Amino acid sequence: MTFNPLHATGMVFLKDAEGEFAFSGSCFLFREDNVLLTAAHCVPESISTVIVHLPFGRREMKVETIHRHPTADVAMLICGDQYAYRAGSGYPESAFWDGASNFSLGEQFSAFGYPSEGPSFTSSAAPTPRFFTGYYQRFFDYESHDGYKYYAGELSIPAPGGLSGGPIFRPGAPEILTGLVTANSETYAVTDSIDDVLTDGTKYRQESRRVLTYGVGLMLSEIAQWLHTYTPNPVSRGWTIKDPITGDDPTDRIEDRI
């Protein structure tokens, strides 16, 4: 069966104090059909009940266990064995296979998730499935205002609200991930400036600025050892993963950063 990244990507819902479920972010199946990854900030520790819904995969699962990375903005959601309808030890039926370590500057990526910006004239504030493409602009050590620290890739597109936790994968090999959407990074460009000297000799400067927003993605190969702790990697299972374009194993140059 041909892998479809849309089927592997879902939404995270949290139960609030009133007993209602509210959308929190995106998520995706990883290595197993009952194991998902999302951004850690999408599943705060104060939340006790988490449901994941995969609209295109036509599945809804209750999360039983959550493992949060000690420093990076990523969490692993473990659902019950009754949701794992993969048989044997072969490739998963619906999940992404693994995270690549041979990513490069300028590499094209695809991303999919459920942004919830709005409302607008054409959409509400409800999660809306959207597909994105872009390029990695740089790689750097990122530290968020929430205190998360991890090796990140800067995306050539903004990451709208709700896309956090969604997969970043290769257009030519959608089974292979490179990252997970986590945040936005903002800078600005000065589009115009005015210098005036007032009568009392005071210098006055006025600037017009344009805010530039770039998405941020956690590079999954950098937390490979942590991922392997909770779900075995392909090598240990005897899987053979080959890039359909180069024929190389995209995960064979992993340098862990825990």
Side-chain angles (χ1 to χ4, degrees):
M1 184 176 68
T2 303
F3 175 79
N4 189 330
L6 277 63
H7 291 181
T9 307
M11 298 181 285
V12 178
F13 289 91
L14 310 179
K15 191 174 184 179
D16 60 24
E18 288 71 37
E20 300 293 330
F21 281 95
F23 173 70
S24 177
S26 300
C27 62
F28 57 91
L29 295 169
F30 180 72
R31 293 182 181 167
E32 306 274 358
D33 291 326
N34 65 328
V35 175
L36 305 98
L37 296 182
T38 188
H41 72 261
C42 293
V43 284
E45 295 190 17
S46 59
I47 295 298
S48 59
T49 303
V50 180
I51 298 292
V52 294
H53 177 53
L54 284 72
F56 289 94
R58 298 181 180 179
R59 301 177 67 189
E60 185 170 287
M61 300 181 287
K62 182 178 180 180
V63 175
E64 295 188 352
T65 306
I66 300 176
H67 300 290
R68 298 176 179 86
H69 192 278
T71 60
D73 189 5
V74 59
M76 182 177 291
L77 314 178
I78 310 293
C79 302
D81 290 339
Q82 69 269 29
Y83 302 115
Y85 46 76
R86 176 177 62 84
S89 58
Y91 296 105
E93 181 174 335
S94 304
F96 287 95
W97 292 358
D98 203 12
S101 60
N102 60 351
F103 47 82
S104 60
L105 192 67
E107 178 179 343
Q108 186 177 12
F109 67 81
S110 295
F112 180 71
Y114 293 85
S116 56
E117 78 281 6
S120 68
F121 290 110
T122 58
S123 67
S124 67
T128 303
R130 286 192 171 98
F131 193 95
F132 301 84
T133 59
Y135 297 88
Y136 281 112
Q137 298 185 147
R138 65 172 175 140
F139 301 103
F140 63 110
D141 291 311
Y142 178 78
E143 183 172 354
S144 74
H145 66 277
D146 296 325
Y148 295 112
K149 299 178 182 179
Y150 50 91
Y151 191 65
E154 184 180 83
L155 314 179
S156 61
I157 60 169
L163 188 60
S164 288
I168 305 173
F169 52 94
R170 288 185 159 153
E175 302 92 341
I176 303 300
L177 297 153
T178 48
L180 176 151
V181 179
T182 51
N184 274 311
S185 176
E186 291 187 346
T187 183
Y188 69 88
V190 176
T191 58
D192 194 14
S193 64
I194 300 173
D195 287 316
D196 284 321
V197 178
L198 304 182
T199 55
D200 62 355
T202 303
K203 189 173 182 179
Y204 172 82
R205 178 181 175 87
Q206 177 176 304
E207 289 184 351
S208 296
R209 297 181 176 183
R210 179 166 59 91
V211 176
L212 304 176
T213 304
Y214 303 113
V216 175
L218 180 153
M219 307 310 293
L220 287 176
S221 67
E222 303 301 307
I223 58 166
Q225 186 173 327
W226 179 83
L227 294 170
H228 180 66
T229 300
Y230 301 106
T231 178
N233 63 29
V235 174
S236 66
R237 300 182 184 192
W239 295 0
T240 301
I241 296 180
K242 297 295 181 182
D243 187 310
I245 298 175
T246 65
D248 298 329
D249 183 344
T251 66
D252 64 359
R253 293 203 308 253
I254 293 176
E255 296 178 0
D256 296 346
R257 293 191 183 193
I258 305 303

